[in-house]
Amino acid sequence: MDVKKLRYFAAIVEEGQISRAAKKLHMAQPPLSQQLKMLEEELEIKLLERKKHSIELTEAGKVLYTRAREVLEKIEAIQAEIKEIGDGIRGQLEIGSVKTCFAYIPEKIRLFRETYPEVTFRLYEGDSYQLANHLRNRDIELAIVRLPLDLNDFFHLPLLTDDFVLVASSDTGLGSPVQIAEIKCLPLMLLHRVRGVGLYELVLNEWKRHGLEPNIVCQCSDAAMLLSLVKAGIGVAILPRSTLLSFALDGLKMIEVTDFSIESQSAIIWLKERHLSKKAVRFKDCFTQMNQVQSSLKT
């Protein structure tokens, strides 16, 4: 059993058909089928059942696929690490960010490319749950997310703690600051994750702490869409303060809520079981330096 056979087998599983796998591997279907047959003969066990338009893994096939992915990912990490020794810091860096944390990104990329001009970026957007899956699938190396999040699979570097503000259309009659009792009946629009606990639950818990029931009229996973709805006068929103740094605030008004006790923690995370490329380590270091500077300013 060699690496080539494992790559072929993994491609068949991931594509769901031998014909599609052959196309992905840029080879004809008969030789690929022959390689699969040789692998089954070598292991003396059937690895998959062929259906009319798909394949189905046997129990042995499921175990082999899991182990094959582990081996292939380790090989890819070794190749990347060795290549970087000779090539230096260059190539494409895939990172992700939730929109509410995007304000951290532009200046970091600008400064990073001044030092490493041969590095390009590919950005992924999504909520924290989606970006965690992108990391697990190895689509990206780093992600900036909002906590809380299940961090069992990840290392993380905490970033700034963010307070929450009320955002309303600029023609609202509300002054600033306000207390939560003054806004308890307003139509409220909140960010909501695809899955898991996030900002939505933090805000709900704050209302409950005050013995109030929020008047929620809209839930949305996209901060830009939410702000557009606020600008249209449909309701008000509760958002982390730094979120607003990424958006034009024309037609919007930011209002302090004096008796809020909620804060939002953000972090940069990366997969524990993955070797980070040199460029990813250097980019992550930019955030470490940012934390150090901000800590020194506080003292």
Side-chain angles (χ1 to χ4, degrees):
M1 182 167 49
D2 57 28
V3 173
K4 182 173 71 173
K5 289 194 183 78
L6 291 180
R7 288 192 194 281
Y8 290 163
F9 176 68
I12 292 170
V13 175
E14 288 158 8
E15 293 302 311
Q17 286 183 346
I18 295 177
S19 58
R20 283 206 299 260
K23 186 175 181 180
K24 179 182 178 180
L25 294 166
H26 306 291
M27 63 188 295
Q29 182 173 338
L32 182 57
S33 297
Q34 183 62 28
Q35 288 289 328
L36 175 61
K37 182 180 178 183
M38 289 168 60
L39 183 59
E40 289 180 322
E41 289 175 350
E42 184 176 346
L43 295 173
E44 298 181 346
I45 196 166
K46 199 166 188 62
L47 298 172
L48 54 84
E49 300 287 349
R50 293 167 177 80
K51 306 294 183 180
K52 187 174 182 180
H53 297 295
S54 64
I55 59 168
E56 182 176 324
L57 286 173
T58 63
E59 287 304 311
K62 291 175 184 177
V63 171
L64 179 62
Y65 176 69
T66 299
R67 299 305 183 198
R69 283 306 328 158
E70 292 172 359
V71 170
L72 294 172
E73 285 163 5
K74 282 185 171 62
I75 289 172
E76 289 165 6
I78 291 168
Q79 290 172 333
E81 188 173 2
I82 297 302
K83 189 174 186 299
E84 283 183 338
I85 293 172
D87 289 352
I89 299 180
R90 63 181 65 183
Q92 182 171 270
L93 176 58
E94 294 86 6
I95 63 174
S97 175
V98 297
K99 279 190 177 178
T100 60
C101 291
F102 186 71
Y104 291 117
I105 296 290
E107 183 67 7
K108 295 290 184 298
I109 290 181
R110 185 185 69 79
L111 294 172
F112 189 84
R113 281 189 42 77
E114 286 179 2
T115 306
Y116 307 109
E118 294 187 66
V119 175
T120 60
F121 286 81
R122 183 174 182 184
L123 300 178
Y124 285 69
E125 185 272 330
D127 70 13
S128 297
Y129 174 81
Q130 291 168 323
L131 292 176
N133 280 338
H134 278 307
L135 285 168
R136 293 187 184 97
N137 294 335
R138 298 172 185 260
D139 301 320
I140 58 179
E141 291 195 75
L142 303 169
I144 301 174
V145 299
R146 289 278 178 190
L147 304 178
L149 183 71
D150 182 357
L151 294 172
N152 286 335
D153 295 337
F154 306 105
F155 293 115
H156 75 286
L157 173 68
L159 300 178
L160 289 177
T161 299
D162 214 352
D163 61 338
F164 280 70
V165 293
L166 180 77
V167 186
S169 62
S170 54
D171 58 1
T172 182
L174 287 171
S176 182
V178 297
Q179 291 193 326
I180 195 169
E182 299 175 62
I183 61 174
K184 63 181 181 180
C185 296
L186 293 179
L188 186 61
M189 300 185 290
L190 298 176
L191 284 175
H192 203 305
R193 287 185 184 176
V194 172
R195 186 182 295 182
V197 175
L199 302 184
Y200 178 87
E201 287 77 15
L202 290 177
V203 174
L204 256 61
N205 288 338
E206 181 68 6
W207 248 254
K208 290 177 182 177
R209 189 178 72 85
H210 287 266
L212 301 172
E213 189 70 30
N215 176 25
I216 300 173
V217 299
C218 182
Q219 303 170 36
C220 176
S221 62
D222 188 296
M225 292 173 64
L226 207 62
L227 290 174
S228 295
L229 295 172
V230 173
K231 191 178 294 188
I234 295 169
V236 297
I238 304 289
L239 292 168
R241 186 186 300 272
S242 65
T243 300
L244 304 178
L245 299 175
S246 301
F247 300 98
L249 295 182
D250 298 338
L252 296 172
K253 183 177 182 180
M254 186 171 68
I255 299 171
E256 305 285 342
V257 184
T258 56
D259 53 349
F260 264 0
S261 65
I262 48 174
E263 293 180 329
S264 175
Q265 178 73 58
S266 55
I268 183 165
I269 65 173
W270 60 99
L271 196 62
K272 286 181 179 178
E273 296 181 354
R274 180 176 184 177
H275 164 78
L276 284 184
S277 66
K278 196 184 296 184
K279 52 186 174 288
V281 172
R282 294 289 186 274
F283 191 70
K284 175 173 64 69
D285 288 345
C286 295
F287 291 87
T288 304
Q289 293 164 11
M290 178 187 75
N291 283 358
Q292 291 170 346
V293 169
Q294 287 163 345
S295 296
S296 65
L297 290 175
K298 288 179 181 179
T299 58

